[in-house]
Amino acid sequence: ISILMLLPFFIGINQPTKIEALKLGTKAPMSNHKLKDVNGKELSLNTLNKENGLLVIFSCNTCPFVIGNDNMDGWENRYNETYELCKQNNIGMVLVNSNEAKRDRGDSFKDMQQHSKNNSYKSSYVIDKNHLLADAFGASTTPHIYLFNNELELVYKGAIDDNVKSKKEVKETWLKDAINSLAKGNKIIKPETRNSGCSIKRL
């Protein structure tokens, strides 16, 4: 058998599996899957879910869109105030680190513990080993936002707001608006926005 005849076979088996994006109205997948928090607790989406729902943010320790740099604030500085808003509205919140390919370059569990401490995270911060949850969600960036109602049905996905460069210059508070609407039982005016950030570092 010639190499040329075998080439399509090798190309086929080496192509990454296509990851389907979670659609609005869809139930959260892997809701009983155990995830280890930086404090050592075993959590799941079901245990994190509260009276009015659950906010899941795929995040990390290393992406400038999260932590910022000289040219932009990054979205991490919205995390604690988002947690407080969720708490006020009986909505759970969790940060998920799925960067499996960077566990030895800033996104290890130990790094996560230190990062959480350094930034005084109020939210749970869990490790997604082998990016299983990210794959099930179709999450593609850090950050990537998923807001669910109390039945764990997806009601908003996308970005936190419209300005990663400057918190002071935010004009569209998409996530905040969605959280307030969800808690009041109102229709979410803009249930989907474009997520942007660094790609989740998969193996």
Side-chain angles (χ1 to χ4, degrees):
I1 302 174
S2 72
I3 295 296
L4 287 176
M5 289 176 68
L6 288 172
L7 191 57
F9 171 74
F10 287 117
I11 292 172
I13 63 171
N14 286 323
Q15 284 181 339
T17 304
K18 185 178 179 182
I19 297 170
E20 295 291 334
L22 203 62
K23 295 178 181 178
L24 291 169
T26 304
K27 284 259 191 180
M30 299 180 67
S31 59
N32 284 317
H33 179 65
K34 298 298 182 184
L35 299 158
K36 190 176 180 181
D37 176 75
V38 290
N39 294 318
K41 296 179 181 178
E42 293 285 332
L43 305 172
S44 70
L45 301 186
N46 277 334
T47 59
L48 288 159
N49 188 24
K50 292 191 175 181
E51 182 182 345
N52 288 321
L54 174 65
L55 172 63
V56 179
I57 300 179
F58 288 89
S59 189
C60 69
N61 307 333
T62 54
C63 172
F65 283 82
V66 174
I67 64 176
N69 58 24
D70 292 340
N71 300 312
M72 60 183 174
D73 287 348
W75 272 302
E76 185 176 52
N77 63 10
R78 280 78 145 176
Y79 285 178
N80 280 347
E81 64 186 54
T82 300
Y83 172 84
E84 290 296 341
L85 180 63
C86 285
K87 186 178 179 181
Q88 291 165 18
N89 288 288
N90 291 315
I91 294 170
M93 176 176 164
V94 62
L95 303 168
V96 183
N97 188 319
S98 305
N99 272 2
E100 195 67 27
K102 293 194 74 173
R103 297 298 182 213
D104 60 347
R105 288 174 290 148
D107 280 309
S108 69
F109 186 68
K110 190 173 181 179
D111 292 327
M112 288 171 59
Q113 290 176 311
Q114 190 62 50
H115 190 78
S116 177
K117 183 178 180 180
N118 290 348
N119 291 278
S120 302
Y121 277 178
K122 295 181 178 181
S123 170
S124 297
Y125 189 24
V126 301
I127 187 167
D128 176 24
K129 290 185 178 180
N130 298 315
H131 44 79
L132 296 177
L133 195 67
D135 290 355
F137 273 59
S140 58
T141 57
T142 51
H144 200 162
I145 312 302
Y146 294 84
L147 179 65
F148 298 89
N149 63 19
N150 61 1
E151 296 295 324
L152 287 180
E153 297 164 339
L154 185 62
V155 296
Y156 173 80
K157 65 176 180 175
I160 291 177
D161 55 48
D162 68 343
N163 204 319
V164 66
K165 290 186 177 180
S166 173
K167 184 178 178 180
K168 294 180 180 179
E169 296 178 18
V170 171
K171 294 178 181 178
E172 299 286 342
T173 53
W174 299 313
L175 178 58
K176 181 180 178 181
D177 295 345
I179 288 170
N180 285 326
S181 294
L182 174 61
K184 293 174 182 176
N186 296 334
K187 181 181 179 181
I188 295 173
I189 302 301
K190 198 161 188 176
E192 185 172 356
T193 58
R194 182 182 176 186
N195 59 296
S196 58
C198 305
S199 63
I200 290 175
K201 302 303 185 284
R202 292 174 162 91
L203 291 174

